[in-house]
């Protein structure tokens, strides 16, 4: 039974997810006094402790309940869950996708490989750090792929004749290119996710956690929204505001120097492109400003 009075969250100690994970915590009001060597950090302004670990250990720590929460790539989580599911059910739920650490787990082969569709890969040797994900993919397509599990430098395996193809993470594709490899097929799209142990939290802590989720949602929503301000003739107001996918009713403010025109403030749900601004102008809006929004709470 969970009796902790502070949330314990596992994040990557160093690597691609570290700084975005810390930035996320900061953006939802959790300050961390970090020291480079420390594996543990106690927030002074929130009931939260951070454990800094290798990303591969994050699902393990959350699954066992040692940590309540974790931030990890879907690629790592999927590999862990598939390995675990061969034995038992996991105690992990994915709470939110976080919009960073985006990449794809892909099959790739030497440039001179003739790819004739997924079925043509039947029986091939695949070097990968994701043997369980490969097995799952292989079963899904009835392929009998043979996974060769290696923990790093997967890209060199075909040139050493250790494997026919590889399965590795790709973001820009530069690493594949540098090793004369080409991407054949995406196995999994991935981004960082917030995961939670199914352990029951102390009721006060559960309330605090719910507030954190609302803040994450607010921060995510704010990223997509824009605050738009402009002047408009009163009679054109309806036509103009319809051009913007508005979040709420616009705020309409009288202008001191004009009886015909008003100032309009409106929050849009989507990005505002030049095209929309040009349409606004055509509909007689003027002094148009588009501003980013930092935080939102509905
Ligand atoms: O030490 P620790 O075990 O914690 O770190 P790690 O070395 O296992 O992971 P790290 O820091 O490299 O990546 C952490 C997570 O970031 C991954 O699990 C993914 O969820 C995510 N991520 C996003 C990536 C990439 N993009 C990525 N491009 N992880 C790795 N790569 C590597 C890939 O393996 C390949 O070597 O980058 C190379 C390909 O990149 P491009 O841009 O050349 O295509
Ligand atoms: Zn790792």
């Amino acid at each position: 039974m969970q009796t902790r009075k502070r949330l314990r969250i596992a994040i990557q100690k160093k690597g691609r997810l570290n700084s975005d994970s810390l930035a996320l915590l900061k953006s939802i009001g959790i300050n961390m006094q970090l020291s480079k060597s420390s594996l543990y950090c106690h927030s002074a302004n929130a009931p939260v402790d951070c454990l800094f670990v290798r990303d591969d250990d994050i699902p393990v720590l959350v699954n066992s309940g040692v940590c309540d929460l974790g931030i990890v790539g879907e690629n790592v989580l999927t590999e862990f869950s598939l390995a675990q599911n061969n034995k038992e059910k996991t105690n992990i739920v994915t709470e939110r996708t976080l919009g960073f650490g985006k990449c794809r787990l892909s099959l790739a082969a030497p440039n001179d490989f003739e790819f004739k569709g997924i079925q043509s890969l039947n029986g091939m040797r695949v070097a990968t750090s994701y043997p369980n994900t490969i097995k799952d993919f292989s079963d899904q397509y009835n392929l009998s792929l043979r996974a060769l599990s290696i923990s790093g430098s997967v890209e060199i395996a075909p040139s050493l004749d250790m494997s026919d193809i590889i399965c590795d993470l790709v973001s820009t594709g530069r690493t594949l290119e540098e090793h004369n490899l080409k991407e054949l097929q995406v196995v999994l799209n991935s981004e960082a996710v917030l995961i939670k142990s199914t352990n029951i939290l102390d009721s006060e802590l559960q309330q605090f956690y719910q507030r954190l989720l609302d803040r994450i949602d607010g921060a995510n929503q704010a990223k997509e929204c824009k605050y738009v301000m402009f002047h408009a003739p009163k009679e054109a107001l309806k036509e103009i505001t319809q051009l913007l996918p508005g979040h709420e009713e616009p705020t309409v403010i009288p202008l001191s120097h004009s009886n015909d025109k008003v100032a309009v403030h409106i929050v849009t749900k989507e990005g505002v492109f030049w095209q929309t601004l040009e349409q606004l102008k055509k509909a007689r809006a003027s002094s148009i400003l588009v501003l980013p929004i930092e935080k939102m709470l509905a």
Side-chain angles (χ1 to χ4, degrees), residues 185-257:
Q185 168 75 34
V186 175
V187 171
L188 182 89
N189 282 302
S190 176
E191 65 181 275
V193 287
L194 175 72
I195 56 173
K196 183 179 172 295
S197 146
T198 50
N199 281 358
I200 309 285
L201 292 174
D202 165 273
S203 68
E204 254 178 56
L205 214 48
Q206 175 60 36
Q207 281 177 22
F208 172 72
Y209 173 58
Q210 189 54 51
R211 277 168 53 210
L212 291 187
L213 284 183
D214 291 343
R215 290 179 193 180
I216 291 175
D217 292 341
N220 279 341
Q221 218 185 340
K223 267 186 224 154
E224 288 155 23
C225 294
K226 292 281 177 271
Y227 195 81
V228 186
M229 301 192 282
F230 54 85
H231 291 175
K234 278 181 188 164
E235 74 271 12
L237 194 58
K238 204 166 172 199
E239 183 197 346
I240 292 174
T241 49
Q242 270 168 0
L243 293 169
L244 290 162
H247 183 243
E248 290 169 353
E249 280 296 297
T251 306
V252 180
I253 307 160
L255 286 172
S256 59
H257 61 277

Side-chain angles (χ1 to χ4, degrees), residues 17 55-60 62-63 70-85 90-97 130 132-133 188 190-196:
L17 301 182
D55 66 347
D56 316 77
D57 294 335
I58 294 174
V60 183
V62 174
N63 189 51
I71 296 176
V72 70
E74 282 172 303
N75 50 313
V76 171
L77 178 64
T78 302
E79 180 64 19
F80 172 82
S81 303
L82 289 169
Q84 194 71 14
N85 278 337
T90 65
N91 302 316
I92 298 177
V93 275
T94 298
E95 293 280 77
R96 292 293 185 275
T97 51
Y130 297 85
N132 292 292
T133 311
L188 182 89
S190 176
E191 65 181 275
V193 287
L194 175 72
I195 56 173
K196 183 179 172 295

Side-chain angles (χ1 to χ4, degrees), residues 6 11 13 18 22 25-26 29-46 48-52:
R6 299 174 64 83
I11 69 173
K13 179 168 169 53
N18 172 271
L22 288 170
L25 294 185
K26 193 170 175 204
I30 299 168
N31 295 340
M32 290 285 164
Q33 294 291 328
L34 298 169
S35 82
K36 273 209 168 132
S37 58
S38 173
L39 296 177
Y40 195 78
C41 185
H42 187 89
S43 172
N45 76 331
V48 175
D49 298 324
C50 260
L51 216 64
F52 297 100

Side-chain angles (χ1 to χ4, degrees), residues 86-233:
N86 291 331
K87 298 176 248 156
E88 56 192 300
K89 205 175 134 289
T90 65
N91 302 316
I92 298 177
V93 275
T94 298
E95 293 280 77
R96 292 293 185 275
T97 51
L98 300 173
F100 58 85
K102 286 187 180 174
C103 56
R104 53 199 187 272
L105 186 65
S106 283
L107 295 174
N111 282 331
D112 58 6
F113 181 92
E114 250 188 90
F115 183 49
K116 295 182 185 143
I118 299 181
Q119 289 308 324
S120 69
L121 303 176
N122 195 13
M124 290 204 167
R125 299 168 300 159
V126 191
T128 188
S129 312
Y130 297 85
N132 292 292
T133 311
I134 276 296
K135 181 171 184 324
D136 189 60
F137 179 82
S138 177
D139 290 350
Q140 214 177 307
Y141 288 93
N142 226 348
L143 285 180
S144 310
L145 292 174
R146 287 175 287 156
L148 171 78
S149 184
I150 48 178
S151 61
S153 307
V154 172
E155 302 90 355
I156 60 163
S159 64
L160 299 176
D161 197 29
M162 285 164 70
S163 72
D164 304 302
I165 58 176
I166 67 162
C167 179
D168 199 10
L169 296 176
V170 182
S171 54
T172 62
R174 210 173 301 131
T175 307
L176 290 184
E177 232 173 77
E178 281 167 9
H179 290 85
N180 299 315
L181 298 166
K182 63 181 177 188
E183 196 171 349
L184 304 178
Q185 168 75 34
V186 175
V187 171
L188 182 89
N189 282 302
S190 176
E191 65 181 275
V193 287
L194 175 72
I195 56 173
K196 183 179 172 295
S197 146
T198 50
N199 281 358
I200 309 285
L201 292 174
D202 165 273
S203 68
E204 254 178 56
L205 214 48
Q206 175 60 36
Q207 281 177 22
F208 172 72
Y209 173 58
Q210 189 54 51
R211 277 168 53 210
L212 291 187
L213 284 183
D214 291 343
R215 290 179 193 180
I216 291 175
D217 292 341
N220 279 341
Q221 218 185 340
K223 267 186 224 154
E224 288 155 23
C225 294
K226 292 281 177 271
Y227 195 81
V228 186
M229 301 192 282
F230 54 85
H231 291 175

Side-chain angles (χ1 to χ4, degrees), residues 61-72:
L61 290 165
V62 174
N63 189 51
S64 63
V66 169
C67 288
D68 307 301
L69 300 168
I71 296 176
V72 70

